[in-house]
Amino acid sequence: LALLSRKFPRNKSHGTNFFFSSFFMDKLMNLSKMSSIEDAGYNYGAVRNWVERMLLPKQSGTTRRYTRNGFGDFISSAVLYIPINWGAHWIMATVHMDQHTICIYDSLSPTTRTFDDSGYGTFGLAILRCLNELYEEGKLGELDVHDWTCHFPSCARQTNDVDCGVFMLAYIHMLVCGISPTSCIEGQCWRNLILNSLVAGEILCRQAEKNNH
């Protein structure tokens, strides 16, 4: 994710791509300690400093503060990529600030899904609640949850029980490269790509395209 953030800092809407830590949702919702989605918690205080460091523009010196100009740029065109580890399974959410849309990609999901299936609504509402707290602290009003929608785009599905993490990274990589995540994802090819990228210290986007055509 760190390599992707360096390779693709901007998105097609000329806004910023934000790649969230794989620990973000766990800290926000205490996912690692829950036995079912009904046990999910919510603790903005556990992620507040990290969220502010990541999303707020840095001003002079080491001070970070809310400014309508800086935060307005974030609101208008940012895309957030959020990995979610739920038990032994990885899924991924994208948040499109300009479209007021959350998209959830799950390599083991059924074809037909709703916002309330398998806890998806719980994850989406926790993300919106977190963003709303950021809005309120910035004195920019409230985030109207009712103005947002959750979508479940078609995506390639894994054929075994071990590739969910690979598919989650592949989805993010493909989306920032402008490649449809419905393209065939061959787990071993992507494992090699991830390993080669880590060794090289840079994202090998051309190889990713080659592996999916």
Side-chain angles (χ1 to χ4, degrees), residues 4-28:
L4 284 169
S5 68
R6 293 200 294 268
K7 179 75 172 181
F8 303 101
R10 310 292 289 180
N11 58 53
K12 63 182 180 180
S13 298
H14 307 292
T16 303
N17 288 326
F18 292 96
F19 300 87
F20 276 45
S21 165
S22 58
F23 296 104
F24 171 75
M25 290 298 289
D26 181 26
K27 295 293 186 182
L28 182 66

mmCIF file with all atom_site columns, all heavy atoms in Angstrom, residues 4-28:
data_model
loop_
_atom_site.group_PDB
_atom_site.id
_atom_site.type_symbol
_atom_site.label_atom_id
_atom_site.label_alt_id
_atom_site.label_comp_id
_atom_site.label_asym_id
_atom_site.label_entity_id
_atom_site.label_seq_id
_atom_site.pdbx_PDB_ins_code
_atom_site.Cartn_x
_atom_site.Cartn_y
_atom_site.Cartn_z
_atom_site.occupancy
_atom_site.B_iso_or_equiv
_atom_site.pdbx_formal_charge
_atom_site.auth_seq_id
_atom_site.auth_comp_id
_atom_site.auth_asym_id
_atom_site.auth_atom_id
_atom_site.pdbx_PDB_model_num
ATOM 1   N N   . LEU A 1 4  ? 1.978   1.793  -3.507  1.00 0.00 ? 4  LEU A N   1
ATOM 2   C CA  . LEU A 1 4  ? 0.879   2.317  -4.328  1.00 0.00 ? 4  LEU A CA  1
ATOM 3   C C   . LEU A 1 4  ? 0.659   3.800  -4.068  1.00 0.00 ? 4  LEU A C   1
ATOM 4   O O   . LEU A 1 4  ? 0.396   4.570  -4.992  1.00 0.00 ? 4  LEU A O   1
ATOM 5   C CB  . LEU A 1 4  ? -0.401  1.538  -4.036  1.00 0.00 ? 4  LEU A CB  1
ATOM 6   C CG  . LEU A 1 4  ? -0.511  0.140  -4.647  1.00 0.00 ? 4  LEU A CG  1
ATOM 7   C CD1 . LEU A 1 4  ? -1.698  -0.604 -4.046  1.00 0.00 ? 4  LEU A CD1 1
ATOM 8   C CD2 . LEU A 1 4  ? -0.654  0.208  -6.159  1.00 0.00 ? 4  LEU A CD2 1
ATOM 9   N N   . SER A 1 5  ? 0.782   4.213  -2.813  1.00 0.00 ? 5  SER A N   1
ATOM 10  C CA  . SER A 1 5  ? 0.570   5.628  -2.492  1.00 0.00 ? 5  SER A CA  1
ATOM 11  C C   . SER A 1 5  ? 1.615   6.517  -3.143  1.00 0.00 ? 5  SER A C   1
ATOM 12  O O   . SER A 1 5  ? 1.329   7.658  -3.517  1.00 0.00 ? 5  SER A O   1
ATOM 13  C CB  . SER A 1 5  ? 0.571   5.832  -0.976  1.00 0.00 ? 5  SER A CB  1
ATOM 14  O OG  . SER A 1 5  ? 1.859   5.601  -0.427  1.00 0.00 ? 5  SER A OG  1
ATOM 15  N N   . ARG A 1 6  ? 2.835   5.999  -3.296  1.00 0.00 ? 6  ARG A N   1
ATOM 16  C CA  . ARG A 1 6  ? 3.886   6.772  -3.961  1.00 0.00 ? 6  ARG A CA  1
ATOM 17  C C   . ARG A 1 6  ? 3.708   6.772  -5.470  1.00 0.00 ? 6  ARG A C   1
ATOM 18  O O   . ARG A 1 6  ? 3.985   7.765  -6.142  1.00 0.00 ? 6  ARG A O   1
ATOM 19  C CB  . ARG A 1 6  ? 5.265   6.220  -3.592  1.00 0.00 ? 6  ARG A CB  1
ATOM 20  C CG  . ARG A 1 6  ? 5.638   6.420  -2.132  1.00 0.00 ? 6  ARG A CG  1
ATOM 21  C CD  . ARG A 1 6  ? 7.131   6.311  -1.914  1.00 0.00 ? 6  ARG A CD  1
ATOM 22  N NE  . ARG A 1 6  ? 7.637   4.974  -2.165  1.00 0.00 ? 6  ARG A NE  1
ATOM 23  C CZ  . ARG A 1 6  ? 7.767   4.041  -1.238  1.00 0.00 ? 6  ARG A CZ  1
ATOM 24  N NH1 . ARG A 1 6  ? 7.406   4.294  0.013   1.00 0.00 ? 6  ARG A NH1 1
ATOM 25  N NH2 . ARG A 1 6  ? 8.251   2.849  -1.528  1.00 0.00 ? 6  ARG A NH2 1
ATOM 26  N N   . LYS A 1 7  ? 3.237   5.652  -6.015  1.00 0.00 ? 7  LYS A N   1
ATOM 27  C CA  . LYS A 1 7  ? 3.082   5.524  -7.458  1.00 0.00 ? 7  LYS A CA  1
ATOM 28  C C   . LYS A 1 7  ? 1.848   6.265  -7.966  1.00 0.00 ? 7  LYS A C   1
ATOM 29  O O   . LYS A 1 7  ? 1.855   6.846  -9.039  1.00 0.00 ? 7  LYS A O   1
ATOM 30  C CB  . LYS A 1 7  ? 2.967   4.037  -7.826  1.00 0.00 ? 7  LYS A CB  1
ATOM 31  C CG  . LYS A 1 7  ? 2.782   3.750  -9.309  1.00 0.00 ? 7  LYS A CG  1
ATOM 32  C CD  . LYS A 1 7  ? 4.047   3.919  -10.093 1.00 0.00 ? 7  LYS A CD  1
ATOM 33  C CE  . LYS A 1 7  ? 3.879   3.447  -11.535 1.00 0.00 ? 7  LYS A CE  1
ATOM 34  N NZ  . LYS A 1 7  ? 5.110   3.574  -12.330 1.00 0.00 ? 7  LYS A NZ  1
ATOM 35  N N   . PHE A 1 8  ? 0.766   6.240  -7.178  1.00 0.00 ? 8  PHE A N   1
ATOM 36  C CA  . PHE A 1 8  ? -0.500  6.812  -7.625  1.00 0.00 ? 8  PHE A CA  1
ATOM 37  C C   . PHE A 1 8  ? -1.056  7.780  -6.577  1.00 0.00 ? 8  PHE A C   1
ATOM 38  O O   . PHE A 1 8  ? -2.082  7.504  -5.953  1.00 0.00 ? 8  PHE A O   1
ATOM 39  C CB  . PHE A 1 8  ? -1.520  5.702  -7.883  1.00 0.00 ? 8  PHE A CB  1
ATOM 40  C CG  . PHE A 1 8  ? -1.075  4.678  -8.881  1.00 0.00 ? 8  PHE A CG  1
ATOM 41  C CD1 . PHE A 1 8  ? -0.581  3.452  -8.454  1.00 0.00 ? 8  PHE A CD1 1
ATOM 42  C CD2 . PHE A 1 8  ? -1.146  4.941  -10.244 1.00 0.00 ? 8  PHE A CD2 1
ATOM 43  C CE1 . PHE A 1 8  ? -0.167  2.504  -9.370  1.00 0.00 ? 8  PHE A CE1 1
ATOM 44  C CE2 . PHE A 1 8  ? -0.735  3.995  -11.162 1.00 0.00 ? 8  PHE A CE2 1
ATOM 45  C CZ  . PHE A 1 8  ? -0.239  2.774  -10.739 1.00 0.00 ? 8  PHE A CZ  1
ATOM 46  N N   . PRO A 1 9  ? -0.407  8.934  -6.385  1.00 0.00 ? 9  PRO A N   1
ATOM 47  C CA  . PRO A 1 9  ? -0.898  9.875  -5.375  1.00 0.00 ? 9  PRO A CA  1
ATOM 48  C C   . PRO A 1 9  ? -2.174  10.595 -5.787  1.00 0.00 ? 9  PRO A C   1
ATOM 49  O O   . PRO A 1 9  ? -2.921  11.073 -4.937  1.00 0.00 ? 9  PRO A O   1
ATOM 50  C CB  . PRO A 1 9  ? 0.261   10.876 -5.244  1.00 0.00 ? 9  PRO A CB  1
ATOM 51  C CG  . PRO A 1 9  ? 0.942   10.825 -6.580  1.00 0.00 ? 9  PRO A CG  1
ATOM 52  C CD  . PRO A 1 9  ? 0.832   9.400  -7.033  1.00 0.00 ? 9  PRO A CD  1
ATOM 53  N N   . ARG A 1 10 ? -2.433  10.671 -7.109  1.00 0.00 ? 10 ARG A N   1
ATOM 54  C CA  . ARG A 1 10 ? -3.604  11.403 -7.593  1.00 0.00 ? 10 ARG A CA  1
ATOM 55  C C   . ARG A 1 10 ? -4.538  10.472 -8.347  1.00 0.00 ? 10 ARG A C   1
ATOM 56  O O   . ARG A 1 10 ? -4.110  9.473  -8.929  1.00 0.00 ? 10 ARG A O   1
ATOM 57  C CB  . ARG A 1 10 ? -3.184  12.543 -8.519  1.00 0.00 ? 10 ARG A CB  1
ATOM 58  C CG  . ARG A 1 10 ? -2.104  13.446 -7.978  1.00 0.00 ? 10 ARG A CG  1
ATOM 59  C CD  . ARG A 1 10 ? -2.597  14.276 -6.798  1.00 0.00 ? 10 ARG A CD  1
ATOM 60  N NE  . ARG A 1 10 ? -3.538  15.301 -7.194  1.00 0.00 ? 10 ARG A NE  1
ATOM 61  C CZ  . ARG A 1 10 ? -4.120  16.155 -6.344  1.00 0.00 ? 10 ARG A CZ  1
ATOM 62  N NH1 . ARG A 1 10 ? -3.870  16.060 -5.054  1.00 0.00 ? 10 ARG A NH1 1
ATOM 63  N NH2 . ARG A 1 10 ? -4.942  17.069 -6.777  1.00 0.00 ? 10 ARG A NH2 1
ATOM 64  N N   . ASN A 1 11 ? -5.828  10.798 -8.350  1.00 0.00 ? 11 ASN A N   1
ATOM 65  C CA  . ASN A 1 11 ? -6.799  9.992  -9.080  1.00 0.00 ? 11 ASN A CA  1
ATOM 66  C C   . ASN A 1 11 ? -7.281  10.733 -10.319 1.00 0.00 ? 11 ASN A C   1
ATOM 67  O O   . ASN A 1 11 ? -6.886  11.871 -10.578 1.00 0.00 ? 11 ASN A O   1
ATOM 68  C CB  . ASN A 1 11 ? -7.978  9.603  -8.171  1.00 0.00 ? 11 ASN A CB  1
ATOM 69  C CG  . ASN A 1 11 ? -8.683  10.823 -7.590  1.00 0.00 ? 11 ASN A CG  1
ATOM 70  O OD1 . ASN A 1 11 ? -9.092  11.720 -8.317  1.00 0.00 ? 11 ASN A OD1 1
ATOM 71  N ND2 . ASN A 1 11 ? -8.825  10.850 -6.265  1.00 0.00 ? 11 ASN A ND2 1
ATOM 72  N N   . LYS A 1 12 ? -8.138  10.081 -11.098 1.00 0.00 ? 12 LYS A N   1
ATOM 73  C CA  . LYS A 1 12 ? -8.556  10.638 -12.385 1.00 0.00 ? 12 LYS A CA  1
ATOM 74  C C   . LYS A 1 12 ? -9.396  11.902 -12.242 1.00 0.00 ? 12 LYS A C   1
ATOM 75  O O   . LYS A 1 12 ? -9.558  12.653 -13.205 1.00 0.00 ? 12 LYS A O   1
ATOM 76  C CB  . LYS A 1 12 ? -9.328  9.598  -13.192 1.00 0.00 ? 12 LYS A CB  1
ATOM 77  C CG  . LYS A 1 12 ? -10.624 9.134  -12.549 1.00 0.00 ? 12 LYS A CG  1
ATOM 78  C CD  . LYS A 1 12 ? -11.290 8.065  -13.408 1.00 0.00 ? 12 LYS A CD  1
ATOM 79  C CE  . LYS A 1 12 ? -12.603 7.578  -12.791 1.00 0.00 ? 12 LYS A CE  1
ATOM 80  N NZ  . LYS A 1 12 ? -13.228 6.536  -13.637 1.00 0.00 ? 12 LYS A NZ  1
ATOM 81  N N   . SER A 1 13 ? -9.940  12.133 -11.035 1.00 0.00 ? 13 SER A N   1
ATOM 82  C CA  . SER A 1 13 ? -10.694 13.368 -10.780 1.00 0.00 ? 13 SER A CA  1
ATOM 83  C C   . SER A 1 13 ? -9.781  14.478 -10.285 1.00 0.00 ? 13 SER A C   1
ATOM 84  O O   . SER A 1 13 ? -10.247 15.504 -9.810  1.00 0.00 ? 13 SER A O   1
ATOM 85  C CB  . SER A 1 13 ? -11.803 13.098 -9.744  1.00 0.00 ? 13 SER A CB  1
ATOM 86  O OG  . SER A 1 13 ? -12.721 12.139 -10.231 1.00 0.00 ? 13 SER A OG  1
ATOM 87  N N   . HIS A 1 14 ? -8.472  14.256 -10.402 1.00 0.00 ? 14 HIS A N   1
ATOM 88  C CA  . HIS A 1 14 ? -7.445  15.226 -9.982  1.00 0.00 ? 14 HIS A CA  1
ATOM 89  C C   . HIS A 1 14 ? -7.475  15.461 -8.477  1.00 0.00 ? 14 HIS A C   1
ATOM 90  O O   . HIS A 1 14 ? -7.092  16.516 -7.991  1.00 0.00 ? 14 HIS A O   1
ATOM 91  C CB  . HIS A 1 14 ? -7.611  16.544 -10.735 1.00 0.00 ? 14 HIS A CB  1
ATOM 92  C CG  . HIS A 1 14 ? -7.650  16.381 -12.218 1.00 0.00 ? 14 HIS A CG  1
ATOM 93  N ND1 . HIS A 1 14 ? -6.547  15.991 -12.949 1.00 0.00 ? 14 HIS A ND1 1
ATOM 94  C CD2 . HIS A 1 14 ? -8.662  16.515 -13.103 1.00 0.00 ? 14 HIS A CD2 1
ATOM 95  C CE1 . HIS A 1 14 ? -6.887  15.909 -14.232 1.00 0.00 ? 14 HIS A CE1 1
ATOM 96  N NE2 . HIS A 1 14 ? -8.154  16.207 -14.355 1.00 0.00 ? 14 HIS A NE2 1
ATOM 97  N N   . GLY A 1 15 ? -7.956  14.463 -7.760  1.00 0.00 ? 15 GLY A N   1
ATOM 98  C CA  . GLY A 1 15 ? -7.937  14.521 -6.313  1.00 0.00 ? 15 GLY A CA  1
ATOM 99  C C   . GLY A 1 15 ? -6.883  13.579 -5.770  1.00 0.00 ? 15 GLY A C   1
ATOM 100 O O   . GLY A 1 15 ? -6.125  12.961 -6.519  1.00 0.00 ? 15 GLY A O   1
ATOM 101 N N   . THR A 1 16 ? -6.830  13.454 -4.461  1.00 0.00 ? 16 THR A N   1
ATOM 102 C CA  . THR A 1 16 ? -5.810  12.644 -3.812  1.00 0.00 ? 16 THR A CA  1
ATOM 103 C C   . THR A 1 16 ? -6.324  11.241 -3.532  1.00 0.00 ? 16 THR A C   1
ATOM 104 O O   . THR A 1 16 ? -7.465  11.053 -3.106  1.00 0.00 ? 16 THR A O   1
ATOM 105 C CB  . THR A 1 16 ? -5.388  13.300 -2.483  1.00 0.00 ? 16 THR A CB  1
ATOM 106 O OG1 . THR A 1 16 ? -4.920  14.623 -2.753  1.00 0.00 ? 16 THR A OG1 1
ATOM 107 C CG2 . THR A 1 16 ? -4.286  12.504 -1.810  1.00 0.00 ? 16 THR A CG2 1
ATOM 108 N N   . ASN A 1 17 ? -5.478  10.249 -3.794  1.00 0.00 ? 17 ASN A N   1
ATOM 109 C CA  . ASN A 1 17 ? -5.747  8.878  -3.366  1.00 0.00 ? 17 ASN A CA  1
ATOM 110 C C   . ASN A 1 17 ? -5.211  8.701  -1.954  1.00 0.00 ? 17 ASN A C   1
ATOM 111 O O   . ASN A 1 17 ? -4.063  9.052  -1.674  1.00 0.00 ? 17 ASN A O   1
ATOM 112 C CB  . ASN A 1 17 ? -5.055  7.867  -4.290  1.00 0.00 ? 17 ASN A CB  1
ATOM 113 C CG  . ASN A 1 17 ? -5.712  7.768  -5.651  1.00 0.00 ? 17 ASN A CG  1
ATOM 114 O OD1 . ASN A 1 17 ? -6.919  7.902  -5.776  1.00 0.00 ? 17 ASN A OD1 1
ATOM 115 N ND2 . ASN A 1 17 ? -4.911  7.510  -6.668  1.00 0.00 ? 17 ASN A ND2 1
ATOM 116 N N   . PHE A 1 18 ? -6.015  8.167  -1.074  1.00 0.00 ? 18 PHE A N   1
ATOM 117 C CA  . PHE A 1 18 ? -5.575  7.881  0.279   1.00 0.00 ? 18 PHE A CA  1
ATOM 118 C C   . PHE A 1 18 ? -5.654  6.374  0.514   1.00 0.00 ? 18 PHE A C   1
ATOM 119 O O   . PHE A 1 18 ? -6.727  5.784  0.379   1.00 0.00 ? 18 PHE A O   1
ATOM 120 C CB  . PHE A 1 18 ? -6.446  8.609  1.306   1.00 0.00 ? 18 PHE A CB  1
ATOM 121 C CG  . PHE A 1 18 ? -6.285  10.099 1.307   1.00 0.00 ? 18 PHE A CG  1
ATOM 122 C CD1 . PHE A 1 18 ? -7.162  10.904 0.593   1.00 0.00 ? 18 PHE A CD1 1
ATOM 123 C CD2 . PHE A 1 18 ? -5.253  10.699 2.004   1.00 0.00 ? 18 PHE A CD2 1
ATOM 124 C CE1 . PHE A 1 18 ? -7.023  12.283 0.582   1.00 0.00 ? 18 PHE A CE1 1
ATOM 125 C CE2 . PHE A 1 18 ? -5.097  12.078 2.010   1.00 0.00 ? 18 PHE A CE2 1
ATOM 126 C CZ  . PHE A 1 18 ? -5.982  12.879 1.291   1.00 0.00 ? 18 PHE A CZ  1
ATOM 127 N N   . PHE A 1 19 ? -4.523  5.761  0.838   1.00 0.00 ? 19 PHE A N   1
ATOM 128 C CA  . PHE A 1 19 ? -4.465  4.323  1.077   1.00 0.00 ? 19 PHE A CA  1
ATOM 129 C C   . PHE A 1 19 ? -4.390  4.095  2.588   1.00 0.00 ? 19 PHE A C   1
ATOM 130 O O   . PHE A 1 19 ? -3.361  4.352  3.209   1.00 0.00 ? 19 PHE A O   1
ATOM 131 C CB  . PHE A 1 19 ? -3.265  3.710  0.364   1.00 0.00 ? 19 PHE A CB  1
ATOM 132 C CG  . PHE A 1 19 ? -3.291  3.911  -1.124  1.00 0.00 ? 19 PHE A CG  1
ATOM 133 C CD1 . PHE A 1 19 ? -2.767  5.053  -1.701  1.00 0.00 ? 19 PHE A CD1 1
ATOM 134 C CD2 . PHE A 1 19 ? -3.875  2.953  -1.952  1.00 0.00 ? 19 PHE A CD2 1
ATOM 135 C CE1 . PHE A 1 19 ? -2.801  5.248  -3.072  1.00 0.00 ? 19 PHE A CE1 1
ATOM 136 C CE2 . PHE A 1 19 ? -3.905  3.135  -3.324  1.00 0.00 ? 19 PHE A CE2 1
ATOM 137 C CZ  . PHE A 1 19 ? -3.370  4.286  -3.892  1.00 0.00 ? 19 PHE A CZ  1
ATOM 138 N N   . PHE A 1 20 ? -5.466  3.626  3.154   1.00 0.00 ? 20 PHE A N   1
ATOM 139 C CA  . PHE A 1 20 ? -5.548  3.475  4.599   1.00 0.00 ? 20 PHE A CA  1
ATOM 140 C C   . PHE A 1 20 ? -4.765  2.256  5.072   1.00 0.00 ? 20 PHE A C   1
ATOM 141 O O   . PHE A 1 20 ? -4.616  1.269  4.353   1.00 0.00 ? 20 PHE A O   1
ATOM 142 C CB  . PHE A 1 20 ? -7.007  3.343  5.019   1.00 0.00 ? 20 PHE A CB  1
ATOM 143 C CG  . PHE A 1 20 ? -7.720  4.663  5.179   1.00 0.00 ? 20 PHE A CG  1
ATOM 144 C CD1 . PHE A 1 20 ? -7.591  5.666  4.232   1.00 0.00 ? 20 PHE A CD1 1
ATOM 145 C CD2 . PHE A 1 20 ? -8.514  4.896  6.285   1.00 0.00 ? 20 PHE A CD2 1
ATOM 146 C CE1 . PHE A 1 20 ? -8.239  6.875  4.378   1.00 0.00 ? 20 PHE A CE1 1
ATOM 147 C CE2 . PHE A 1 20 ? -9.171  6.106  6.448   1.00 0.00 ? 20 PHE A CE2 1
ATOM 148 C CZ  . PHE A 1 20 ? -9.034  7.108  5.491   1.00 0.00 ? 20 PHE A CZ  1
ATOM 149 N N   . SER A 1 21 ? -4.314  2.316  6.305   1.00 0.00 ? 21 SER A N   1
ATOM 150 C CA  . SER A 1 21 ? -3.603  1.206  6.922   1.00 0.00 ? 21 SER A CA  1
ATOM 151 C C   . SER A 1 21 ? -4.531  0.005  7.066   1.00 0.00 ? 21 SER A C   1
ATOM 152 O O   . SER A 1 21 ? -5.739  0.141  7.288   1.00 0.00 ? 21 SER A O   1
ATOM 153 C CB  . SER A 1 21 ? -3.095  1.632  8.304   1.00 0.00 ? 21 SER A CB  1
ATOM 154 O OG  . SER A 1 21 ? -2.705  0.511  9.066   1.00 0.00 ? 21 SER A OG  1
ATOM 155 N N   . SER A 1 22 ? -3.942  -1.186 6.972   1.00 0.00 ? 22 SER A N   1
ATOM 156 C CA  . SER A 1 22 ? -4.721  -2.406 7.162   1.00 0.00 ? 22 SER A CA  1
ATOM 157 C C   . SER A 1 22 ? -5.195  -2.555 8.612   1.00 0.00 ? 22 SER A C   1
ATOM 158 O O   . SER A 1 22 ? -6.051  -3.394 8.907   1.00 0.00 ? 22 SER A O   1
ATOM 159 C CB  . SER A 1 22 ? -3.891  -3.632 6.762   1.00 0.00 ? 22 SER A CB  1
ATOM 160 O OG  . SER A 1 22 ? -2.691  -3.698 7.510   1.00 0.00 ? 22 SER A OG  1
ATOM 161 N N   . PHE A 1 23 ? -4.656  -1.749 9.528   1.00 0.00 ? 23 PHE A N   1
ATOM 162 C CA  . PHE A 1 23 ? -5.075  -1.790 10.924  1.00 0.00 ? 23 PHE A CA  1
ATOM 163 C C   . PHE A 1 23 ? -6.189  -0.793 11.234  1.00 0.00 ? 23 PHE A C   1
ATOM 164 O O   . PHE A 1 23 ? -6.732  -0.798 12.333  1.00 0.00 ? 23 PHE A O   1
ATOM 165 C CB  . PHE A 1 23 ? -3.886  -1.495 11.853  1.00 0.00 ? 23 PHE A CB  1
ATOM 166 C CG  . PHE A 1 23 ? -2.790  -2.515 11.775  1.00 0.00 ? 23 PHE A CG  1
ATOM 167 C CD1 . PHE A 1 23 ? -1.613  -2.241 11.100  1.00 0.00 ? 23 PHE A CD1 1
ATOM 168 C CD2 . PHE A 1 23 ? -2.938  -3.761 12.368  1.00 0.00 ? 23 PHE A CD2 1
ATOM 169 C CE1 . PHE A 1 23 ? -0.596  -3.174 11.014  1.00 0.00 ? 23 PHE A CE1 1
ATOM 170 C CE2 . PHE A 1 23 ? -1.929  -4.709 12.298  1.00 0.00 ? 23 PHE A CE2 1
ATOM 171 C CZ  . PHE A 1 23 ? -0.756  -4.414 11.615  1.00 0.00 ? 23 PHE A CZ  1
ATOM 172 N N   . PHE A 1 24 ? -6.530  0.067  10.263  1.00 0.00 ? 24 PHE A N   1
ATOM 173 C CA  . PHE A 1 24 ? -7.467  1.161  10.520  1.00 0.00 ? 24 PHE A CA  1
ATOM 174 C C   . PHE A 1 24 ? -8.824  0.660  11.008  1.00 0.00 ? 24 PHE A C   1
ATOM 175 O O   . PHE A 1 24 ? -9.321  1.073  12.065  1.00 0.00 ? 24 PHE A O   1
ATOM 176 C CB  . PHE A 1 24 ? -7.634  2.005  9.257   1.00 0.00 ? 24 PHE A CB  1
ATOM 177 C CG  . PHE A 1 24 ? -8.738  3.022  9.355   1.00 0.00 ? 24 PHE A CG  1
ATOM 178 C CD1 . PHE A 1 24 ? -8.567  4.171  10.103  1.00 0.00 ? 24 PHE A CD1 1
ATOM 179 C CD2 . PHE A 1 24 ? -9.953  2.810  8.712   1.00 0.00 ? 24 PHE A CD2 1
ATOM 180 C CE1 . PHE A 1 24 ? -9.591  5.110  10.209  1.00 0.00 ? 24 PHE A CE1 1
ATOM 181 C CE2 . PHE A 1 24 ? -10.970 3.736  8.807   1.00 0.00 ? 24 PHE A CE2 1
ATOM 182 C CZ  . PHE A 1 24 ? -10.788 4.889  9.555   1.00 0.00 ? 24 PHE A CZ  1
ATOM 183 N N   . MET A 1 25 ? -9.470  -0.232 10.242  1.00 0.00 ? 25 MET A N   1
ATOM 184 C CA  . MET A 1 25 ? -10.811 -0.687 10.609  1.00 0.00 ? 25 MET A CA  1
ATOM 185 C C   . MET A 1 25 ? -10.795 -1.524 11.886  1.00 0.00 ? 25 MET A C   1
ATOM 186 O O   . MET A 1 25 ? -11.756 -1.508 12.655  1.00 0.00 ? 25 MET A O   1
ATOM 187 C CB  . MET A 1 25 ? -11.434 -1.475 9.461   1.00 0.00 ? 25 MET A CB  1
ATOM 188 C CG  . MET A 1 25 ? -11.785 -0.614 8.254   1.00 0.00 ? 25 MET A CG  1
ATOM 189 S SD  . MET A 1 25 ? -13.008 0.678  8.597   1.00 0.00 ? 25 MET A SD  1
ATOM 190 C CE  . MET A 1 25 ? -14.503 -0.294 8.800   1.00 0.00 ? 25 MET A CE  1
ATOM 191 N N   . ASP A 1 26 ? -9.699  -2.248 12.105  1.00 0.00 ? 26 ASP A N   1
ATOM 192 C CA  . ASP A 1 26 ? -9.583  -3.019 13.341  1.00 0.00 ? 26 ASP A CA  1
ATOM 193 C C   . ASP A 1 26 ? -9.578  -2.081 14.539  1.00 0.00 ? 26 ASP A C   1
ATOM 194 O O   . ASP A 1 26 ? -10.276 -2.306 15.535  1.00 0.00 ? 26 ASP A O   1
ATOM 195 C CB  . ASP A 1 26 ? -8.316  -3.869 13.316  1.00 0.00 ? 26 ASP A CB  1
ATOM 196 C CG  . ASP A 1 26 ? -8.156  -4.724 14.570  1.00 0.00 ? 26 ASP A CG  1
ATOM 197 O OD1 . ASP A 1 26 ? -9.185  -5.050 15.203  1.00 0.00 ? 26 ASP A OD1 1
ATOM 198 O OD2 . ASP A 1 26 ? -7.014  -5.074 14.912  1.00 0.00 ? 26 ASP A OD2 1
ATOM 199 N N   . LYS A 1 27 ? -8.792  -1.002 14.461  1.00 0.00 ? 27 LYS A N   1
ATOM 200 C CA  . LYS A 1 27 ? -8.738  -0.036 15.556  1.00 0.00 ? 27 LYS A CA  1
ATOM 201 C C   . LYS A 1 27 ? -10.065 0.692  15.712  1.00 0.00 ? 27 LYS A C   1
ATOM 202 O O   . LYS A 1 27 ? -10.532 0.938  16.832  1.00 0.00 ? 27 LYS A O   1
ATOM 203 C CB  . LYS A 1 27 ? -7.615  0.978  15.315  1.00 0.00 ? 27 LYS A CB  1
ATOM 204 C CG  . LYS A 1 27 ? -6.217  0.388  15.320  1.00 0.00 ? 27 LYS A CG  1
ATOM 205 C CD  . LYS A 1 27 ? -5.835  -0.114 16.689  1.00 0.00 ? 27 LYS A CD  1
ATOM 206 C CE  . LYS A 1 27 ? -4.383  -0.574 16.719  1.00 0.00 ? 27 LYS A CE  1
ATOM 207 N NZ  . LYS A 1 27 ? -4.013  -1.108 18.056  1.00 0.00 ? 27 LYS A NZ  1
ATOM 208 N N   . LEU A 1 28 ? -10.688 1.035  14.592  1.00 0.00 ? 28 LEU A N   1
ATOM 209 C CA  . LEU A 1 28 ? -11.941 1.799  14.629  1.00 0.00 ? 28 LEU A CA  1
ATOM 210 C C   . LEU A 1 28 ? -13.084 0.966  15.207  1.00 0.00 ? 28 LEU A C   1
ATOM 211 O O   . LEU A 1 28 ? -13.911 1.471  15.969  1.00 0.00 ? 28 LEU A O   1
ATOM 212 C CB  . LEU A 1 28 ? -12.307 2.268  13.222  1.00 0.00 ? 28 LEU A CB  1
ATOM 213 C CG  . LEU A 1 28 ? -13.577 3.116  13.094  1.00 0.00 ? 28 LEU A CG  1
ATOM 214 C CD1 . LEU A 1 28 ? -13.397 4.462  13.793  1.00 0.00 ? 28 LEU A CD1 1
ATOM 215 C CD2 . LEU A 1 28 ? -13.939 3.321  11.616  1.00 0.00 ? 28 LEU A CD2 1
#
